[in-house]
């Protein structure tokens, strides 16, 4: 019997100076990918909607979210606070 060894997909991401995490070296944010997934979009749909992302990038972002849900939700909460503070100062 041959066993299939499944390796995790590494999430290629970068956080810019404003603290926004971008996926796959693109301008698409982790927030954008995760929110689309939570609304029920399939990975293929997300990749079609954002052609700068590869399907692998989308799956990696979804996988990262599912494995680190608490940390990602905390990041989203901080990002919301920053946006709210920024909108009040404008």
């Amino acid at each position: 019997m041959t066993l299939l060894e499944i390796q995790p997909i590494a999430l290629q991401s970068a956080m810019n100076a404003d603290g926004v995490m971008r996926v796959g070296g693109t301008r698409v944010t982790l927030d954008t990918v995760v929110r689309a997934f939570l609304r029920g979009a399939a990975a293929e749909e997300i990749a079609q909607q954002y052609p700068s992302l590869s399907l692998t990038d989308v799956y990696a972002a979804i996988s990262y979210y599912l494995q680190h849900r608490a940390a990602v939700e905390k990041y989203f909460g901080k990002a919301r606070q920053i946006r709210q503070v920024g909108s009040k100062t404008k």
Side-chain angles (χ1 to χ4, degrees), residues 53-85:
L53 290 176
S54 70
L55 186 56
T56 302
D57 291 332
V58 175
Y59 273 115
I62 292 168
S63 176
Y64 183 85
Y65 169 71
L66 292 173
Q67 292 176 34
H68 303 94
R69 192 173 299 210
V72 173
E73 290 296 338
K74 185 176 179 181
Y75 159 75
F76 289 161
K78 286 183 181 180
R80 271 192 299 275
Q81 288 176 339
I82 291 169
R83 283 193 304 268
Q84 289 173 350
V85 169

Side-chain angles (χ1 to χ4, degrees), residues 1-87:
M1 174 189 261
T2 303
L3 295 178
L4 178 63
E5 186 176 328
I6 299 174
Q7 299 291 324
I9 303 170
L11 175 61
Q12 294 182 358
S13 63
M15 191 171 291
N16 68 13
D18 294 326
V20 177
M21 188 171 288
R22 309 258 179 214
V23 177
T26 69
R27 294 184 48 80
V28 181
T29 65
L30 179 63
D31 187 21
T32 298
V33 174
V34 170
R35 297 295 175 213
F37 170 71
L38 292 175
R39 284 192 312 268
E44 291 80 5
E45 292 173 292
I46 298 168
Q48 285 180 341
Q49 188 171 2
Y50 301 97
S52 60
L53 290 176
S54 70
L55 186 56
T56 302
D57 291 332
V58 175
Y59 273 115
I62 292 168
S63 176
Y64 183 85
Y65 169 71
L66 292 173
Q67 292 176 34
H68 303 94
R69 192 173 299 210
V72 173
E73 290 296 338
K74 185 176 179 181
Y75 159 75
F76 289 161
K78 286 183 181 180
R80 271 192 299 275
Q81 288 176 339
I82 291 169
R83 283 193 304 268
Q84 289 173 350
V85 169
S87 68

